[in-house]
Every structure is written in structure tokens, then in C-alpha cells.
């Protein structure tokens, strides 16, 4: 349900509105170079409804199963969207020096401790920008191959 109005390319930021977040607070997502590239391609097929990734079938928001089906059927990856979030968390905890709070904030998780939440008011955006760039590099792999927007053409 991402909309173009939520994207600020100058700040390299996607702000997801509170109404779409479990914690009912807006969530800022730093955009990596690869994300910007994907948005540029998506922008070339923009529809009037403002959606970044509309359904090719009806132009509406993608269904909850679209990404799961893309992973499992089209890309032949035995994973779920939630599993990808879990893989991110494992990567951050097991292979990086990023603090737990940074990856938790990147995932949009609420601070469970009311006392801690009262004192921690920042969004760790600078650290999250670097973490997301590192994650993008990790996902691309050693050979810097990425999942193509055009599955019939391999990208390097």
C-alpha cells in the first residue's frame, strides 16, 4: 500500500503513516541506493491512484499474498515475508555490531518497556541508514547480484 506521497527522494526517506503501522505511529524507512533504483523504475509505470506498486491485474494495492507468492513461486525461494524480516533480525544480531535497538527500530517494533520508551525519543535514523545500506549489500551477495525487476534479464 505504499504511496508516492510517502516518499521523499531528497531526504532518501519513506514515511509509512501511523494508520498502516501496528504501533500506530509513523515509521521512517531510510532508502538505500538500490531502493531508489527500484522506485525510479516503478515511477516509469505510475498510475493515477498514487500506489507505488499497484496490482498488474486491477491497479489496486497488492494482496497480502503477492510477495509470498513472488518469493515462493516466481523466485523459488522457500521463505515468507515475515521470514525475511526474521532473517534481517538474525543477520543484524549475529553478523553485525549494530545494537539491538537499531534493528528493532528498523523493524518498526514498539519499545516494550514504558520507562525506556519514555526516555528514548530518537529514531536512530543515522544508524539505521547505514544498517540498511549494509543489509542491501548483504542481500546482493558477494557477486553483487540482485533480484531483477525483469526476471528474464539477469542483473549484476
Amino acid at each position: 500500500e505504499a504511496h508516492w506521497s510517502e516518499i521523499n527522494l531528497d531526504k532518501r526517506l519513506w514515511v509509512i503513516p501511523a494508520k498502516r503501522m501496528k504501533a500506530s505511529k509513523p515509521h521512517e524507512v531510510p532508502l538505500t541506493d538500490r531502493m531508489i533504483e527500484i522506485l525510479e523504475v516503478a515511477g516509469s509505470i505510475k498510475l493515477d491512484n498514487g500506489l507505488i506498486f499497484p496490482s498488474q491485474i486491477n491497479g489496486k494495492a497488492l494482496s497480502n499474498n503477492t510477495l509470498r507468492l513472488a518469493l515462493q513461486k516466481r523466485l523459488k525461494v522457500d521463505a515468507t515475508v515475515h521470514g525475511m524480516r526474521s532473517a534481517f533480525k538474525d543477520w543484524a544480531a549475529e553478523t553485525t555490531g549494530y545494537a539491538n535497538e537499531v534493528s528493532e527500530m528498523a523493524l518498526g517494533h514498539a519499545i516494550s518497556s514504558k520507562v525506556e520508551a519514555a526516555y528514548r525519543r530518537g529514531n536512530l535514523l543515522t544508524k539505521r541508514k547505514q544498517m540498511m545500506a549494509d543489509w542491501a549489500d548483504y542481500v546482493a551477495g558477494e557477486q553483487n547480484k540482485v533480484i531483477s525487476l525483469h526476471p528474464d534479464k539477469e542483473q549484476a
Side-chain angles (χ1 to χ4, degrees):
E1 294 181 16
H3 283 76
W4 287 106
S5 61
E6 301 165 2
I7 303 295
N8 185 326
L9 292 174
D10 293 334
K11 291 184 179 179
R12 300 175 59 91
L13 205 60
W14 170 27
V15 181
I16 305 171
K19 66 183 177 184
R20 289 209 321 269
M21 296 299 300
K22 282 184 184 178
S24 298
K25 294 179 182 177
H27 180 59
E28 295 180 329
V29 179
L31 299 175
T32 65
D33 291 342
R34 181 63 178 143
M35 291 172 171
I36 299 286
E37 290 172 9
I38 292 169
L39 287 170
E40 287 171 351
V41 171
S44 69
I45 53 172
K46 225 184 253 192
L47 297 180
D48 292 337
N49 63 9
L51 290 169
I52 297 173
F53 302 109
S55 166
Q56 293 179 350
I57 296 169
N58 61 18
K60 295 181 181 178
L62 297 172
S63 76
N64 292 338
N65 284 319
T66 302
L67 290 177
R68 180 185 61 80
L69 292 172
L71 284 169
Q72 295 174 350
K73 302 255 186 224
R74 188 172 180 180
L75 300 173
K76 308 292 187 221
V77 175
D78 185 22
T80 63
V81 176
H82 192 269
M84 298 298 284
R85 289 173 55 90
S86 179
F88 166 77
K89 184 65 178 174
D90 289 344
W91 166 83
E94 295 177 12
T95 68
T96 77
Y98 291 106
N100 183 57
E101 294 82 12
V102 180
S103 62
E104 284 294 296
M105 196 158 283
L107 290 168
H109 290 166
I111 300 167
S112 57
S113 164
K114 289 183 180 182
V115 173
E116 185 178 349
Y119 286 99
R120 187 158 27 102
R121 297 183 185 161
N123 64 7
L124 303 175
L125 191 60
T126 301
K127 291 180 180 182
R128 290 192 296 127
K129 282 180 183 180
Q130 185 58 54
M131 181 175 60
M132 296 315 295
D134 291 345
W135 171 244
D137 290 344
Y138 175 77
V139 169
E142 290 179 23
Q143 298 174 3
N144 202 29
K145 291 191 177 189
V146 295
I147 294 171
S148 174
L149 293 174
H150 306 285
D152 56 326
K153 298 177 186 173
E154 187 173 313
Q155 293 184 348

PDB file of all heavy atoms in Angstrom, residues 3-16:
ATOM      1  N   HIS A   3       2.497   4.576  -1.058  1.00  0.00           N
ATOM      2  CA  HIS A   3       2.077   5.632  -1.990  1.00  0.00           C
ATOM      3  C   HIS A   3       3.238   6.580  -2.261  1.00  0.00           C
ATOM      4  O   HIS A   3       4.097   6.792  -1.403  1.00  0.00           O
ATOM      5  CB  HIS A   3       0.910   6.433  -1.387  1.00  0.00           C
ATOM      6  CG  HIS A   3      -0.392   5.725  -1.476  1.00  0.00           C
ATOM      7  ND1 HIS A   3      -0.733   4.683  -0.651  1.00  0.00           N
ATOM      8  CD2 HIS A   3      -1.449   5.913  -2.306  1.00  0.00           C
ATOM      9  CE1 HIS A   3      -1.937   4.264  -0.963  1.00  0.00           C
ATOM     10  NE2 HIS A   3      -2.392   4.979  -1.962  1.00  0.00           N
ATOM     11  N   TRP A   4       3.223   7.156  -3.440  1.00  0.00           N
ATOM     12  CA  TRP A   4       4.265   8.110  -3.813  1.00  0.00           C
ATOM     13  C   TRP A   4       4.328   9.286  -2.855  1.00  0.00           C
ATOM     14  O   TRP A   4       5.402   9.830  -2.605  1.00  0.00           O
ATOM     15  CB  TRP A   4       4.071   8.578  -5.260  1.00  0.00           C
ATOM     16  CG  TRP A   4       4.431   7.513  -6.234  1.00  0.00           C
ATOM     17  CD1 TRP A   4       3.573   6.753  -6.986  1.00  0.00           C
ATOM     18  CD2 TRP A   4       5.743   7.043  -6.537  1.00  0.00           C
ATOM     19  NE1 TRP A   4       4.283   5.844  -7.733  1.00  0.00           N
ATOM     20  CE2 TRP A   4       5.617   6.011  -7.484  1.00  0.00           C
ATOM     21  CE3 TRP A   4       7.015   7.393  -6.107  1.00  0.00           C
ATOM     22  CZ2 TRP A   4       6.719   5.329  -8.003  1.00  0.00           C
ATOM     23  CZ3 TRP A   4       8.111   6.720  -6.625  1.00  0.00           C
ATOM     24  CH2 TRP A   4       7.951   5.703  -7.556  1.00  0.00           C
ATOM     25  N   SER A   5       3.212   9.665  -2.274  1.00  0.00           N
ATOM     26  CA  SER A   5       3.189  10.809  -1.355  1.00  0.00           C
ATOM     27  C   SER A   5       3.988  10.532  -0.079  1.00  0.00           C
ATOM     28  O   SER A   5       4.328  11.459   0.659  1.00  0.00           O
ATOM     29  CB  SER A   5       1.742  11.177  -1.000  1.00  0.00           C
ATOM     30  OG  SER A   5       1.107  10.086  -0.351  1.00  0.00           O
ATOM     31  N   GLU A   6       4.312   9.271   0.182  1.00  0.00           N
ATOM     32  CA  GLU A   6       5.068   8.889   1.371  1.00  0.00           C
ATOM     33  C   GLU A   6       6.580   8.917   1.141  1.00  0.00           C
ATOM     34  O   GLU A   6       7.356   8.771   2.082  1.00  0.00           O
ATOM     35  CB  GLU A   6       4.655   7.474   1.812  1.00  0.00           C
ATOM     36  CG  GLU A   6       3.181   7.357   2.127  1.00  0.00           C
ATOM     37  CD  GLU A   6       2.687   5.926   2.205  1.00  0.00           C
ATOM     38  OE1 GLU A   6       3.485   4.981   2.063  1.00  0.00           O
ATOM     39  OE2 GLU A   6       1.476   5.759   2.415  1.00  0.00           O
ATOM     40  N   ILE A   7       6.983   9.088  -0.095  1.00  0.00           N
ATOM     41  CA  ILE A   7       8.403   9.026  -0.464  1.00  0.00           C
ATOM     42  C   ILE A   7       8.980  10.433  -0.580  1.00  0.00           C
ATOM     43  O   ILE A   7       8.416  11.300  -1.237  1.00  0.00           O
ATOM     44  CB  ILE A   7       8.581   8.304  -1.819  1.00  0.00           C
ATOM     45  CG1 ILE A   7       7.983   6.897  -1.775  1.00  0.00           C
ATOM     46  CG2 ILE A   7      10.047   8.289  -2.246  1.00  0.00           C
ATOM     47  CD1 ILE A   7       8.666   5.947  -0.828  1.00  0.00           C
ATOM     48  N   ASN A   8      10.135  10.635   0.065  1.00  0.00           N
ATOM     49  CA  ASN A   8      10.880  11.883  -0.073  1.00  0.00           C
ATOM     50  C   ASN A   8      12.258  11.505  -0.615  1.00  0.00           C
ATOM     51  O   ASN A   8      13.135  11.075   0.144  1.00  0.00           O
ATOM     52  CB  ASN A   8      10.995  12.606   1.269  1.00  0.00           C
ATOM     53  CG  ASN A   8      11.660  13.956   1.143  1.00  0.00           C
ATOM     54  OD1 ASN A   8      12.552  14.163   0.325  1.00  0.00           O
ATOM     55  ND2 ASN A   8      11.239  14.883   1.984  1.00  0.00           N
ATOM     56  N   LEU A   9      12.413  11.639  -1.933  1.00  0.00           N
ATOM     57  CA  LEU A   9      13.681  11.250  -2.558  1.00  0.00           C
ATOM     58  C   LEU A   9      14.828  12.150  -2.132  1.00  0.00           C
ATOM     59  O   LEU A   9      15.968  11.685  -2.022  1.00  0.00           O
ATOM     60  CB  LEU A   9      13.541  11.221  -4.075  1.00  0.00           C
ATOM     61  CG  LEU A   9      12.640  10.110  -4.621  1.00  0.00           C
ATOM     62  CD1 LEU A   9      12.443  10.265  -6.123  1.00  0.00           C
ATOM     63  CD2 LEU A   9      13.208   8.742  -4.291  1.00  0.00           C
ATOM     64  N   ASP A  10      14.561  13.424  -1.886  1.00  0.00           N
ATOM     65  CA  ASP A  10      15.627  14.336  -1.449  1.00  0.00           C
ATOM     66  C   ASP A  10      16.206  13.899  -0.110  1.00  0.00           C
ATOM     67  O   ASP A  10      17.420  13.939   0.099  1.00  0.00           O
ATOM     68  CB  ASP A  10      15.100  15.771  -1.339  1.00  0.00           C
ATOM     69  CG  ASP A  10      14.738  16.359  -2.688  1.00  0.00           C
ATOM     70  OD1 ASP A  10      15.307  15.924  -3.711  1.00  0.00           O
ATOM     71  OD2 ASP A  10      13.867  17.254  -2.718  1.00  0.00           O
ATOM     72  N   LYS A  11      15.351  13.480   0.805  1.00  0.00           N
ATOM     73  CA  LYS A  11      15.804  13.014   2.124  1.00  0.00           C
ATOM     74  C   LYS A  11      16.110  11.520   2.127  1.00  0.00           C
ATOM     75  O   LYS A  11      16.560  10.991   3.136  1.00  0.00           O
ATOM     76  CB  LYS A  11      14.742  13.313   3.184  1.00  0.00           C
ATOM     77  CG  LYS A  11      14.576  14.779   3.471  1.00  0.00           C
ATOM     78  CD  LYS A  11      13.586  14.985   4.602  1.00  0.00           C
ATOM     79  CE  LYS A  11      13.427  16.462   4.924  1.00  0.00           C
ATOM     80  NZ  LYS A  11      12.442  16.667   6.007  1.00  0.00           N
ATOM     81  N   ARG A  12      15.819  10.835   0.984  1.00  0.00           N
ATOM     82  CA  ARG A  12      16.007   9.394   0.880  1.00  0.00           C
ATOM     83  C   ARG A  12      15.254   8.681   2.001  1.00  0.00           C
ATOM     84  O   ARG A  12      15.827   7.874   2.736  1.00  0.00           O
ATOM     85  CB  ARG A  12      17.491   9.042   0.871  1.00  0.00           C
ATOM     86  CG  ARG A  12      18.249   9.683  -0.289  1.00  0.00           C
ATOM     87  CD  ARG A  12      19.727   9.426  -0.224  1.00  0.00           C
ATOM     88  NE  ARG A  12      20.073   8.028  -0.245  1.00  0.00           N
ATOM     89  CZ  ARG A  12      20.336   7.314  -1.348  1.00  0.00           C
ATOM     90  NH1 ARG A  12      20.320   7.898  -2.513  1.00  0.00           N
ATOM     91  NH2 ARG A  12      20.639   6.031  -1.274  1.00  0.00           N
ATOM     92  N   LEU A  13      13.961   8.988   2.086  1.00  0.00           N
ATOM     93  CA  LEU A  13      13.151   8.515   3.198  1.00  0.00           C
ATOM     94  C   LEU A  13      11.751   8.137   2.742  1.00  0.00           C
ATOM     95  O   LEU A  13      11.143   8.823   1.922  1.00  0.00           O
ATOM     96  CB  LEU A  13      13.066   9.641   4.227  1.00  0.00           C
ATOM     97  CG  LEU A  13      12.800   9.309   5.668  1.00  0.00           C
ATOM     98  CD1 LEU A  13      13.865   8.401   6.251  1.00  0.00           C
ATOM     99  CD2 LEU A  13      12.724  10.597   6.475  1.00  0.00           C
ATOM    100  N   TRP A  14      11.249   7.043   3.307  1.00  0.00           N
ATOM    101  CA  TRP A  14       9.856   6.628   3.123  1.00  0.00           C
ATOM    102  C   TRP A  14       9.212   6.738   4.495  1.00  0.00           C
ATOM    103  O   TRP A  14       9.680   6.121   5.452  1.00  0.00           O
ATOM    104  CB  TRP A  14       9.805   5.201   2.590  1.00  0.00           C
ATOM    105  CG  TRP A  14       8.452   4.553   2.559  1.00  0.00           C
ATOM    106  CD1 TRP A  14       7.234   5.156   2.446  1.00  0.00           C
ATOM    107  CD2 TRP A  14       8.188   3.152   2.608  1.00  0.00           C
ATOM    108  NE1 TRP A  14       6.232   4.219   2.413  1.00  0.00           N
ATOM    109  CE2 TRP A  14       6.799   2.978   2.520  1.00  0.00           C
ATOM    110  CE3 TRP A  14       8.995   2.024   2.723  1.00  0.00           C
ATOM    111  CZ2 TRP A  14       6.190   1.720   2.539  1.00  0.00           C
ATOM    112  CZ3 TRP A  14       8.395   0.782   2.740  1.00  0.00           C
ATOM    113  CH2 TRP A  14       7.016   0.635   2.642  1.00  0.00           C
ATOM    114  N   VAL A  15       8.152   7.507   4.608  1.00  0.00           N
ATOM    115  CA  VAL A  15       7.446   7.637   5.885  1.00  0.00           C
ATOM    116  C   VAL A  15       6.117   6.909   5.769  1.00  0.00           C
ATOM    117  O   VAL A  15       5.202   7.347   5.063  1.00  0.00           O
ATOM    118  CB  VAL A  15       7.227   9.118   6.267  1.00  0.00           C
ATOM    119  CG1 VAL A  15       6.504   9.205   7.610  1.00  0.00           C
ATOM    120  CG2 VAL A  15       8.564   9.854   6.330  1.00  0.00           C
ATOM    121  N   ILE A  16       6.032   5.775   6.461  1.00  0.00           N
ATOM    122  CA  ILE A  16       4.802   4.983   6.465  1.00  0.00           C
ATOM    123  C   ILE A  16       3.856   5.609   7.485  1.00  0.00           C
ATOM    124  O   ILE A  16       4.234   5.799   8.643  1.00  0.00           O
ATOM    125  CB  ILE A  16       5.083   3.512   6.833  1.00  0.00           C
ATOM    126  CG1 ILE A  16       6.148   2.928   5.895  1.00  0.00           C
ATOM    127  CG2 ILE A  16       3.797   2.692   6.782  1.00  0.00           C
ATOM    128  CD1 ILE A  16       6.651   1.563   6.306  1.00  0.00           C
TER     129      ILE A  16
END
